[in-house]
Amino acid sequence: MTKVAVLGARGKLGSAVCEAVESADDMELVARIGRGDELSAITDAGAEVAVDVTTLEAVMGNAEFCLSHGVHTVIGTSGFGPDRVEQLEAWLAKAPGVGAMVVPNFSVGAVLMMRFAELAAAHFPSVEIVETHHERKADAPSGTARRTAELVAAAREQAGVGPAPDATTSALDGARGAAVDGIPVHSLRMSGSVAHQEVILGGVGELLTIRHDSLSHASFAHGVLAAIRGIGARPGLTIGLEDVLGLA
Amino acid sequence: MTKVAVLGARGKLGSAVCEAVESADDMELVARIGRGDELSAITDAGAEVAVDVTTLEAVMGNAEFCLSHGVHTVIGTSGFGPDRVEQLEAWLAKAPGVGAMVVPNFSVGAVLMMRFAELAAAHFPSVEIVETHHERKADAPSGTARRTAELVAAAREQAGVGPAPDATTSALDGARGAAVDGIPVHSLRMSGSVAHQEVILGGVGELLTIRHDSLSHASFAHGVLAAIRGIGARPGLTIGLEDVLGLA
Amino acid sequence: MTKVAVLGARGKLGSAVCEAVESADDMELVARIGRGDELSAITDAGAEVAVDVTTLEAVMGNAEFCLSHGVHTVIGTSGFGPDRVEQLEAWLAKAPGVGAMVVPNFSVGAVLMMRFAELAAAHFPSVEIVETHHERKADAPSGTARRTAELVAAAREQAGVGPAPDATTSALDGARGAAVDGIPVHSLRMSGSVAHQEVILGGVGELLTIRHDSLSHASFAHGVLAAIRGIGARPGLTIGLEDVLGLA
Amino acid sequence: MTKVAVLGARGKLGSAVCEAVESADDMELVARIGRGDELSAITDAGAEVAVDVTTLEAVMGNAEFCLSHGVHTVIGTSGFGPDRVEQLEAWLAKAPGVGAMVVPNFSVGAVLMMRFAELAAAHFPSVEIVETHHERKADAPSGTARRTAELVAAAREQAGVGPAPDATTSALDGARGAAVDGIPVHSLRMSGSVAHQEVILGGVGELLTIRHDSLSHASFAHGVLAAIRGIGARPGLTIGLEDVLGLA
């Protein structure tokens, strides 16, 4: 039984993490930390792993406390630049055997989709992305679609793949999508949808399509549990879920 | 056995039509008319139905000959305005019992997709179109996608359906597609694809998707045969395949 | 403002119907009738339309009351045989101008999918159905898939279409699906899915696919409102949503 | 310029391979070997790589000749058991620096689909396979679908994943597909289709789908060229395209 503390436990995502930990057979939820609570509650409860889903402001202070007290920490955030990474590594250097895992996306399906797209990118001349989200979404394309396009473009560039063939000479504005690092991305906004993405790759005589449908935030729980289970065997810094999913 | 003449028989489409007629059990191909051939060969051969897949220039002269000689005529063309329709009706008025069918699209699947999209259009707040074609196509969106968007938009307007809900406030250029009569259309150009279209309709808690994949021009043959079989029972002017497909 | 009574108002479906009626601008919810309540509350409240989502046992008594008191009644049920239909017609004969609508399926998307499949069925040699539901479903295929297969098979028989071409000579048990009136139906049961169905039709060189994704019961509300809005103009008996959706 | 010999050059697949080699900028086709031709033509022409698409009977003799003469050999076959593999390794031991690559499937898209399915298999409780082929196919499921199911089942077993959740208590025969190592496989046979496969993986709140559409045998050419380009840097035995595609 791994003893787990959740930081940011009273938020929407934090509540879902608490629920997932409680329903796992191999874990015990020993501390729910919310805004204003003392961090000492983490060590008092004997937590071995802390999951931090608080805010970009709070997360570094929390990490310093956890790592200096020998508690592995899983940090769910997409906003870490080189400065923060360097700081984490400095703290980890003083805490041998302790691990920190920074996870920009806990959705196992989304992480696999992006990684598969990256692996396939150099093997097909054509690639485009179609993402569909509910009608209340403010930005287009989605963050996941932009990130996927960047990964695909980088993999193609590294392999020396040129631009996709395209004979279009007459197009209505917008018909060919938005170019993200040269990859066309098409965003649909539909009532009745949730969060969906297709990466379509085409070569002579064949198409390969990788599709992810995310119907609820419950899907995040699986990634959180995988991170908690994997961090004990990974001292030092790990970025992303790829490693614990066997994709690194 | 219906006796059939094909006009434009030496072109690519015409050859396919000849082949389809020859392979049908209930038809006999009695005349193949090419550029420079005498139209009298149609009546000499006793043709009951003429299929005209020539050019916009030749087609009216051909029609006048056929209708005035009591030969039903199926005209494959997408370029008929009110003037030509009026002229056809004048000729038909002098030829009781004779039929003319003007068919902009012989693809049964495409015709059904467009009609279903039109029938469903008023029942969902959201609707978008995604079409994918091979990388050698010059225009975007495709003609079929534009036509579908126009039909869908007209059906929504007639039913008093307002614009689709869309909270997008920040978008990259092109991400939300091209607007055709207010309907977003997204065009993909992919190596490995042929001609594909999806019409996606969304309402609270549900999506309805109508998809057509056209893998070869052989699919046109089915529509041509349906037109030949149906024209005998339809004196006067018929526009489109919808009627013989039971959709009118 | 149409005054509406809901029968079976305290059940799960009934609550959703009440909510939908209350959120519609052109309706007023005037009575919520549950088990044990007096039916006179319907007329006391001046209801013009009753929506009955009770049980197969209760529904005929409710209908007799409503129709004899001049209240249009929308009955959500899939279990009506010829006896019940005949009885309804007898009551309607004594209530000129009053309508009864028996609706086996309130999902607009599902009704459209089935109707489109039926309209397309005779135009393609091949047709198969793939349905996917959550892992807690007890029966396979789903009721909607069976019903779709029956409608498709009947349309093909009426048009004289023979069996689909199939050269399979060596197959593992179950690979080719279950045959429902000769139509292959394939049932997937997947964690992460809700209720999805595809009808795939194939002819030379082309495929037509009609897909319905139902993500929540909220989709029923739209069909219920359409029925309430349409019944006033439809005295006598109406079976199914097709007529109010413009599909009959 | 890599000098290439093709063995089985007069067959359908061999012709396609010759065409692909000729159209590649970095290769030269120096020998086309057919039934009855002398193998010495391979060395006479100075071939550096031989591509063997002959028959299961001819292939071992060809390999012995090529490897003993220092010619790398790419063997397209799916029927190699341990005996043949051992024999190849014996010949390779005597030919330092020379490579043999045994490739059961030259389709890059199919190889990627299978590998991605294998990588994802352990991360989702549910997985099923749907494959669609033209109506002239004799066996169901397809060889690719069976192989995919075997790989997925092995990956799940290795990770200790139990059977997929399935509450079905009442099913028509065949509705739930064929079980291949416990993985449900559904086979559609449709006019208008070519060769298509979907692997659908489901977990709480999300689905991941990997789809491959193969529209023509031309897609094999890409895999053949990748093998020719990669074999020079891979002395000894290589099984499958995975390694040259960066997936091993």
Side-chain angles (χ1 to χ4, degrees), chain D:
Chain D
M1 294 288 280
T2 303
K3 293 182 176 178
V4 179
V6 174
L7 288 73
R10 291 196 284 269
K12 198 170 163 184
L13 184 52
S15 305
V17 171
C18 289
E19 205 177 307
V21 170
E22 286 184 312
S23 68
D25 291 339
D26 55 346
M27 299 178 195
E28 187 184 354
L29 181 64
V30 296
R32 298 170 182 257
I33 312 294
R35 189 183 297 266
D37 293 344
E38 292 294 330
L39 293 180
S40 55
I42 299 168
T43 40
D44 290 351
E48 296 157 274
V49 178
V51 178
D52 188 338
V53 289
T54 58
T55 63
L56 212 46
E57 289 71 41
V59 82
M60 291 304 284
N62 295 340
E64 184 174 17
F65 178 88
C66 290
L67 298 180
S68 66
H69 287 82
V71 179
H72 304 298
T73 181
V74 173
I75 306 170
T77 178
S78 56
F80 266 30
D83 284 6
R84 289 182 166 221
V85 166
E86 205 173 300
Q87 177 62 75
L88 281 181
E89 283 178 330
W91 290 329
L92 284 161
K94 290 185 254 168
V98 181
M101 196 179 292
V102 178
V103 183
N105 192 334
F106 278 121
S107 164
V108 171
V111 169
L112 290 166
M113 171 182 61
M114 284 189 275
R115 184 76 178 121
F116 293 165
E118 200 181 0
L119 286 169
H123 302 302
F124 296 88
S126 299
V127 55
E128 306 204 12
I129 296 172
V130 179
E131 55 94 348
T132 304
H133 280 81
H134 54 81
E135 74 279 20
R136 300 173 307 283
K137 188 170 181 61
D139 55 320
S142 69
T144 299
R146 284 178 189 249
R147 183 75 188 127
T148 309
E150 291 164 2
L151 292 168
V152 162
R156 286 167 66 93
E157 192 182 345
Q158 199 187 334
V161 179
D166 183 355
T168 310
T169 52
S170 158
L172 285 187
D173 266 5
R176 293 286 292 114
V180 176
D181 289 4
I183 307 298
V185 181
H186 309 267
S187 300
L188 283 69
R189 296 294 172 263
M190 306 275 306
S191 176
S193 71
V194 187
H196 317 263
Q197 182 175 312
E198 276 188 352
V199 183
I200 307 152
L201 303 117
V204 177
E206 65 176 343
L207 295 171
L208 181 71
T209 304
I210 303 158
R211 178 181 177 101
H212 182 235
D213 296 274
S214 176
L215 299 188
S216 81
H217 287 297
S219 63
F220 289 174
H222 176 37
V224 173
L225 299 186
I228 295 170
R229 288 184 185 118
I231 197 169
R234 284 170 181 79
L237 185 65
T238 305
I239 305 280
L241 270 189
E242 284 79 358
D243 191 41
V244 298
L245 295 178
L247 296 173

Side-chain angles (χ1 to χ4, degrees), chain C residues 78-178:
Chain C
S78 56
F80 266 28
D83 284 7
R84 288 181 167 222
V85 166
E86 202 173 304
Q87 176 64 73
L88 280 181
E89 283 177 330
W91 290 329
L92 285 161
K94 290 186 253 170
V98 180
M101 195 178 292
V102 177
V103 182
N105 193 334
F106 278 121
S107 163
V108 171
V111 169
L112 290 166
M113 172 181 61
M114 285 189 274
R115 184 76 180 121
F116 293 165
E118 200 180 1
L119 286 168
H123 303 302
F124 295 89
S126 299
V127 55
E128 305 204 13
I129 296 171
V130 179
E131 56 94 348
T132 304
H133 279 81
H134 55 81
E135 74 278 21
R136 300 172 309 282
K137 189 170 180 61
D139 55 320
S142 70
T144 300
R146 284 178 189 249
R147 182 75 189 128
T148 309
E150 291 164 2
L151 292 168
V152 162
R156 286 167 66 94
E157 193 184 342
Q158 199 187 334
V161 179
D166 182 356
T168 309
T169 52
S170 158
L172 286 187
D173 265 6
R176 293 287 291 112

